[in-house]
Amino acid sequence: MQLPEELQCAIDQMAQHSRVLNQARVALTQDYREGKSSPFSDETKRLAYLGCRMPATYAAVHKVLENAPAFTSLADLGAGPGTASWAATQVFPSIEKVTLVEKSPDAVALGRKLAASSSHLALREARWIAQPLSEALPPADAAILSYVLNEVTDPHLLIERCWQTYPLLILIEPGTPKGFRLIRALREQLLRQQAYLIAPCPHHKACPIEGHDWCHFAARVERSRLHRLLKGGTLGYEDEKFSYLIAAKTPVACAHARIIRPPEIQKGSVRLSLCAADGKLEERVVFKKEKPLYRKARDVRWGQTWDGVDAGF
């Protein structure tokens, strides 16, 4: 997956006149090792974010939104330079209104500059609010919190406020054990509030993943020239791993199962690791003789749904 061409061009234009590519790479590495936030305070950090983190975040959000119902207005909370809003307007061109809330004035300024290059009217005319998420939240059909919940003091309080405000919530965190634990805790909180889960969970029962295991997915990111320069990578791609949850206030039809690991394609069979509608983890082996189910199993990917037809559920 790549950034939209208009966005990548805007980023490349910013980097073209920069003499700090090497410093940006060093700053990126150091900040992540030290756990520092706000990569927008100076040119080197902004360049590092645009070249490395923005493509990865965009790819993860895009992948998540492919599982969400359509909406016409969006609140991008903890928006940074608007990465999630770029992905949303690509997945749902029918979006009419975008409101972005971000406490960093530097991120807001950068986001406005990038949004000016968008072909989507809602993004070009988006409303930017420079304030922390502890203040009043703007109304919208849906709210997305992308890679921000682990940075707030009390994510449970923030989700409680969001649930009172929005009909649809989209939560995304890094695909690490820590990120998954936070998503799972917020899942339990939302279920207590009678939320309907849309994805990735195919059920409303207790999460069956226990111990040191964790539920996560991946989006493949095609590295741009700037990305390769900043990170010094030799491969033309990298995989961004993420955990997520989509929850709504209105009932939705759940999938029969979700593929929670990369399918194992073997000679004459495909093994699928599934989270099933009954709340249990299942291992399903589809054999070549099970046509056309076998052809279908060879085409499915990690994170997609499995409809359960002839699957024994």
Side-chain angles (χ1 to χ4, degrees), residues 220-239:
R220 179 147 292 184
V221 185
E222 185 173 335
R223 286 174 167 167
S224 65
R225 176 180 176 274
L226 176 60
H227 196 158
R228 292 193 297 271
L229 284 171
L230 286 169
K231 299 194 75 172
T234 56
L235 292 176
Y237 66 88
E238 69 177 28
D239 292 325

Side-chain angles (χ1 to χ4, degrees), residues 117-131:
S117 66
S118 174
S119 60
H120 199 291
L121 182 63
L123 192 52
R124 289 201 311 273
E125 297 184 351
R127 179 189 178 199
W128 290 81
I129 304 175
Q131 68 175 44

Side-chain angles (χ1 to χ4, degrees), residues 237-260:
Y237 66 88
E238 69 177 28
D239 292 325
E240 173 70 8
K241 296 179 179 179
F242 59 91
S243 295
Y244 77 101
L245 184 70
I246 304 175
K249 290 183 177 177
T250 54
V252 293
C254 289
H256 287 274
R258 177 82 57 180
I259 301 169
I260 59 171

Side-chain angles (χ1 to χ4, degrees), residues 6 47 50 75 136 168 182 208 232 242 244 279 296 299:
E6 56 206 6
L47 185 58
L50 293 177
L168 179 67
L182 177 55
F242 59 91
Y244 77 101
K296 181 178 180 180
D299 290 337

Side-chain angles (χ1 to χ4, degrees), residues 61-132:
V61 175
H62 195 288
K63 202 83 170 178
V64 168
L65 290 176
E66 291 172 2
N67 296 284
F71 47 86
T72 58
S73 61
L74 172 67
D76 188 350
L77 306 180
T83 309
S85 294
W86 274 91
T89 52
Q90 289 291 311
V91 177
F92 301 118
S94 59
I95 289 177
E96 299 173 356
K97 182 179 180 181
V98 176
T99 306
L100 304 95
V101 181
E102 168 56 47
K103 67 179 180 180
S104 167
D106 296 308
V108 171
L110 178 60
R112 287 181 185 275
K113 186 175 182 179
L114 293 172
S117 66
S118 174
S119 60
H120 199 291
L121 182 63
L123 192 52
R124 289 201 311 273
E125 297 184 351
R127 179 189 178 199
W128 290 81
I129 304 175
Q131 68 175 44

